[in-house]
Amino acid sequence: MIRVAVVDDQTLVRQGIIGLLTLSDAVTVCGEGADGDDALALVAAGGIDVLLLDLRMPRRDGIAVLEELGERGLSLPVLVLTTFDDDDLVLRALRAGARGYLLKDVTLDQLVAAITLLAAGGTLLQPGLTDRLFRAAQRDRPVVAGLDRPEPLTPRELDVLRLVAAGYSNAEISGALHLAPGTVKNYLSAVFVKLGVRDRTRAVLRALDLGLLETA
């Protein structure tokens, strides 16, 4: 079973998420906390496969927790769960190392699927989120012409990257583009190398910064 810790400052919300997860045979809740300090203590204690983390909490918020985990060199998968559909916060969380983002009104099946994906090394970007993140990234993009421009992506690599940004899994990309699963993986590997990243989330964030996901 996948071991999960839930950190949220609202007791009813936290207990509701925990109660929901107890209905799943795939997940076990091994810890809970009410703020960022609790989150760091839970991670330090070990035994967690995925951390479910709220963003807006007292003492130390979710962004600060993610930044601290990064400074400590910890790569624990973190799924951000929040009631705030705030694009700037989402962008900050993903840049700070979150591997996925969901609103708290998700179903049990959606939540367990997201946890399972992250535990297996995947990342989660919700369909429909990328366009809004692109606009947020446009506001934050540094104006440094010609700096750190990667090797250009091929048209097919861009096709794959756009579907990743839209929340497609490898299997869904394979079906949408009529490519073999191994070919999709090869295209993704090439995208990662060219963009200088190591996972899907950072690939999308890098593409957003570079304006590669702009649509006509």
Side-chain angles (χ1 to χ4, degrees):
M1 295 180 74
I2 301 170
R3 298 165 299 179
V4 171
V6 181
V7 179
D8 192 300
D9 64 311
Q10 298 181 33
T11 303
L12 284 177
V13 173
R14 185 174 70 252
Q15 291 178 348
I17 294 170
I18 292 171
L20 195 63
L21 290 174
T22 60
L23 301 176
S24 170
D25 295 330
V27 174
T28 181
V29 178
C30 62
E32 63 176 290
D35 58 37
D37 289 346
D38 289 344
L40 293 174
L42 286 166
V43 173
I48 299 171
D49 297 316
V50 177
L51 175 64
L52 304 189
L53 183 68
D54 189 22
L55 285 181
R56 296 187 177 178
M57 298 181 295
R59 292 205 290 175
R60 195 192 299 254
D61 64 17
I63 302 295
V65 170
L66 289 162
E67 291 172 344
E68 180 66 23
L69 292 176
E71 289 176 6
R72 296 183 186 182
L74 299 174
S75 58
L76 176 74
V78 177
L79 177 64
V80 168
L81 282 176
T82 181
T83 54
F84 299 96
D85 196 8
D86 185 322
D87 300 334
D88 290 324
L89 269 181
V90 176
L91 196 59
R92 287 177 61 204
L94 293 173
R95 282 176 168 155
R99 292 262 292 277
Y101 170 86
L102 284 175
L103 294 179
K104 291 177 183 175
D105 61 357
V106 294
T107 65
L108 173 61
D109 288 343
Q110 290 172 322
L111 182 55
V112 171
I115 291 169
T116 303
L117 178 64
L118 264 65
T123 57
L124 179 70
L125 292 173
Q126 285 185 299
L129 182 64
T130 307
D131 287 342
R132 302 201 314 274
L133 286 184
F134 169 71
R135 291 191 290 271
Q138 286 289 92
R139 294 195 301 271
D140 297 339
R141 185 187 301 171
V143 182
V144 188
L147 180 64
D148 260 351
R149 297 297 299 184
E151 179 184 347
L153 301 184
T154 67
R156 186 54 95 185
E157 288 166 353
L158 279 171
D159 289 340
V160 171
L161 181 58
R162 288 189 180 105
L163 291 179
V164 169
Y168 282 55
S169 66
N170 281 10
E172 290 169 333
I173 294 172
S174 176
L177 298 180
H178 307 292
L179 298 172
T183 303
V184 173
K185 288 183 179 179
N186 289 339
Y187 277 126
L188 275 175
S189 295
V191 169
F192 292 168
V193 170
K194 288 182 177 181
L195 296 183
V197 299
R198 62 180 183 272
D199 61 48
R200 297 161 73 98
T201 301
R202 286 177 176 80
V204 172
L205 291 173
R206 178 76 168 133
L208 288 168
D209 284 337
L210 293 168
L212 299 180
L213 299 178
E214 296 185 43
T215 54

